[in-house]
Amino acid sequence: MSIADYWRLEAPRFRLEATKCEKCEKLYFPPKVVCPQCGNKELKKVEISGKGKLISFSRIDKPADEHTYVAPYYVGIIELEEGIRLSGSLVDLGDKEPEEGMKVEIAFRKYYPVGDEGVIYYGYKFRPLLMSLED
Amino acid sequence: MQTGIAGYGVYAPMNRITVDEIAGVWGEDGVSKSRGLNVFEKSVPDPDEDTITISVEAARIAMKMSRLAREKIGAVYVGSESHPFAVYPSAVHVAEALGVTPHVTAADLEFACKAGTAGMQMVFGLVAGNIIDAGIAIGADTSQGRPGDPLEYTAGAGGAAFVIGKDNLVAELEGTYSFTTDTPDFWRREGAMYPSHGSRFTGAPAYFRHVINAANGLMEKLGLTINDFDRASFHQPNGAFPLKAAKILGLPLEKIEDSLAVKYIGNTYSGASIVGFARQLDLAKPGERILLVSYGSGAGSDAFSFIVTDAIEDARKHGVPVDKMISRKRYINYATYARYRGKIRMK
Ligand SMILES: [Zn+2]
């Protein structure tokens, strides 16, 4: 990932910014500039809840070099309350295994540091529900 | 119009290592270490957690509790002695994650363990001066002690964030006062991995002198006595110092005991006094007066007096209790701790 790519993806990665076509009521994440259904170019920026449930997962024992610092870890497919599906690492499991159907929410974490002197990439991962006592 | 706190949030990583486990590695007696420090375990960040991630998590909780629109936020300050970058602010990461950019001022602050309260004073000033509607001040750290150093028993990770403004207040600011001198009790040179300290020099001329003088200065300024306070939180480098400071000030120990998160998550440095203050806010009744006194080596203390409002009971439902952060945990051994904290040099 280049710094330019990282910077362009910051809003979705940092705060789950999506876009919505108000003509077809369709939500896009990652965000789109043009609605592929109706061609609408005035999509509205919206933020999605970050809460959802785990659909499936797998354990990563031998990741790419830049992720070895957190290995082993789990990656899951999450279905958010808004119906969007996305993948992300699972954190704060304690010593438990993940379970299909478990409720999760976004956590803000490091993705990886680029070498010893490069930038550090940050973004969302998912953890068991912590924030939401009410609402 | 009154200024104060509209929302607060605390975050602590879920890994814990006990003082007993650390003591065992160095051939020390864990039980007597724990008793002397009044600290039983400390939090350890996951390898993908740092001051920026902790700050974002705490600030998200504080924003949610405040129910303020993000457009109201005009300042973001992050106080820490463990900013991940020497150049590239933690505060811009937090502001972007909260979605409060670009019409916002932001900066990283550093003053050992009191950079968080320094940020609170700055936001209070901007709000009281009608320069911004509201702002966020955060104190967070993932500080390290050199292996085998006494600091290793207590250096924890965590932080607290405060949304400060004039609307939806859960606690009103009565006043603030600071006491600052040049006192070389603790330092870390640029590029050094671990801090150095003046050992026994850290007590009387450093911590106690500043904390006591700041508390007394605040009371004098506001025309209050120690008996006017229902609760207090002081900087907590361990669980013993704040109790001793309370004794010197004539504050009954039960008024400070609830603040001692340090016993369970360790010394969170820039987060320490304000995590304790947040726990007092979790437990306080409307109308209660809370004394907050930070301490940062080098050295200085910021003292504050707050009065809890009726709105706190409803607002708490929108936050996350400090005890929930303290009680979610997973124990790790020294080997895992050493790996997570980069104490094993691979090259
Ligand atoms: Zn459309």
Side-chain angles (χ1 to χ4, degrees):
Chain A
M1 181 162 43
S2 74
I3 290 185
D5 288 342
Y6 171 73
W7 181 70
R8 269 193 292 275
L9 288 171
E10 227 180 47
R13 287 248 172 81
F14 272 38
R15 52 177 192 267
L16 289 184
E17 191 173 277
T19 51
K20 186 174 185 180
C21 174
E22 287 181 314
K23 286 184 188 161
C24 359
E25 288 289 304
K26 190 122 172 71
L27 202 57
Y28 297 104
F29 187 88
K32 289 189 188 299
V33 181
V34 181
C35 176
Q37 290 197 17
C38 71
N40 180 4
K41 286 181 187 156
E42 273 150 39
L43 302 192
K44 198 179 154 202
K45 281 181 188 171
V46 292
E47 244 169 72
I48 45 190
S49 70
K51 287 183 221 161
K53 62 177 187 213
L54 185 61
I55 301 297
S56 66
F57 59 87
S58 58
R59 185 179 148 118
I60 311 289
D61 285 292
K62 296 266 173 249
D65 281 353
E66 63 268 25
H67 294 293
T68 51
Y69 82 112
V70 287
Y73 62 96
Y74 289 92
V75 170
I77 305 287
I78 288 93
E79 184 174 285
L80 297 176
E81 284 173 348
E82 293 85 355
I84 288 165
R85 284 194 178 194
L86 70 177
S87 69
S89 296
L90 305 176
V91 296
D92 287 353
L93 294 165
D95 293 318
K96 297 195 187 91
E97 304 276 306
E99 280 172 46
E100 282 177 18
M102 78 187 247
K103 288 186 172 169
V104 295
E105 67 189 5
I106 55 162
F108 190 83
R109 294 292 180 113
K110 279 194 273 193
Y111 285 170
Y112 59 91
V114 180
D116 287 337
E117 296 189 357
V119 296
I120 302 170
Y121 293 135
Y122 293 87
Y124 62 78
K125 294 185 180 179
F126 290 90
R127 68 174 168 231
L129 222 52
L130 168 69
M131 290 279 261
S132 333
L133 292 176
E134 310 225 341
D135 60 28
Chain B
M1 221 175 138
Q2 187 62 47
T3 62
I5 293 164
Y8 61 92
V10 163
Y11 182 85
M14 75 182 292
N15 304 301
R16 299 284 183 280
I17 186 166
T18 63
V19 167
D20 200 44
E21 169 76 12
I22 298 170
V25 170
W26 303 108
E28 304 258 12
D29 175 4
V31 175
S32 74
K33 276 277 169 211
S34 267
R35 196 180 301 131
L37 293 165
N38 197 17
V39 174
F40 302 100
E41 53 200 51
K42 67 171 193 172
S43 58
V44 179
D46 260 352
D48 61 352
E49 291 184 293
D50 62 16
T51 290
I52 288 176
T53 67
I54 290 169
S55 297
V56 169
E57 297 288 359
R60 278 182 175 160
I61 297 169
M63 275 301 287
K64 186 162 160 285
M65 185 194 277
S66 77
R67 285 157 294 162
L68 289 183
R70 67 179 67 166
E71 294 74 28
K72 292 267 184 194
I73 302 299
V76 176
Y77 294 122
V78 180
S80 180
E81 55 152 71
S82 53
H83 291 292
F85 294 91
V87 179
Y88 187 8
S90 300
V92 298
H93 291 81
V94 176
E96 206 64 68
L98 296 175
V100 302
T101 54
H103 307 293
V104 65
T105 180
D108 286 2
L109 306 173
E110 188 278 319
F111 192 144
C113 299
K114 82 157 194 85
T117 56
M120 289 170 74
Q121 287 181 326
M122 290 164 68
V123 179
F124 278 124
L126 291 171
V127 171
N130 295 313
I131 292 167
I132 59 174
D133 289 327
I136 300 175
I138 302 164
D141 262 305
T142 58
S143 298
Q144 297 239 43
R146 194 184 304 275
D149 187 281
L151 288 177
E152 196 186 18
Y153 292 106
T154 53
F162 296 86
V163 174
I164 290 164
K166 292 182 175 176
D167 299 316
N168 306 354
L169 299 185
V170 300
E172 294 178 353
L173 175 73
E174 254 194 319
T176 180
Y177 169 85
S178 296
F179 187 88
T180 308
T181 69
D182 183 344
T183 306
D185 58 326
F186 176 96
W187 60 90
R188 181 168 64 82
R189 293 258 298 272
E190 181 75 37
M193 184 170 177
Y194 300 115
S196 304
H197 52 86
S199 292
R200 300 200 173 274
F201 187 51
T202 56
Y207 179 89
F208 293 105
R209 177 174 174 227
H210 292 81
V211 168
I212 304 300
N213 276 300
N216 284 331
L218 178 76
M219 288 188 275
E220 194 175 321
K221 184 175 167 183
L222 298 177
L224 297 171
T225 70
I226 197 70
N227 299 322
D228 292 318
F229 292 95
D230 302 293
R231 296 174 176 275
S233 178
F234 301 157
H235 176 51
Q236 31 196 278
N238 52 54
F241 274 25
L243 294 177
K244 191 175 166 193
K247 206 171 278 177
I248 295 168
L249 283 165
L251 183 79
L253 297 188
E254 62 267 22
K255 290 187 177 179
I256 196 158
E257 181 63 38
D258 288 338
S259 75
L260 298 181
V262 64
K263 288 158 68 169
Y264 314 106
I265 59 171
N267 176 9
T268 53
Y269 285 63
S270 301
S273 61
I274 49 180
V275 168
F277 172 55
R279 190 158 189 278
Q280 293 287 29
L281 287 171
D282 274 353
L283 300 169
K285 292 185 196 69
E288 286 192 334
R289 184 181 272 122
I290 307 179
L291 174 63
L292 164 64
V293 187
S294 63
Y295 172 71
S297 291
S301 281
D302 302 324
F304 303 77
S305 176
F306 292 97
I307 294 179
V308 177
T309 73
D310 294 339
I312 199 162
E313 289 177 335
D314 184 57
R316 281 198 284 247
K317 295 179 199 156
H318 303 278
V320 179
V322 178
D323 281 353
K324 193 166 179 186
M325 286 296 168
I326 290 175
S327 62
R328 70 162 201 152
K329 58 186 170 184
R330 163 208 184 205
Y331 287 102
I332 57 173
N333 60 24
Y334 195 89
T336 303
Y337 165 70
R339 181 194 160 194
Y340 281 10
R341 300 305 278 134
K343 289 175 192 287
I344 305 168
R345 293 293 181 108
M346 306 292 278
K347 56 190 168 206

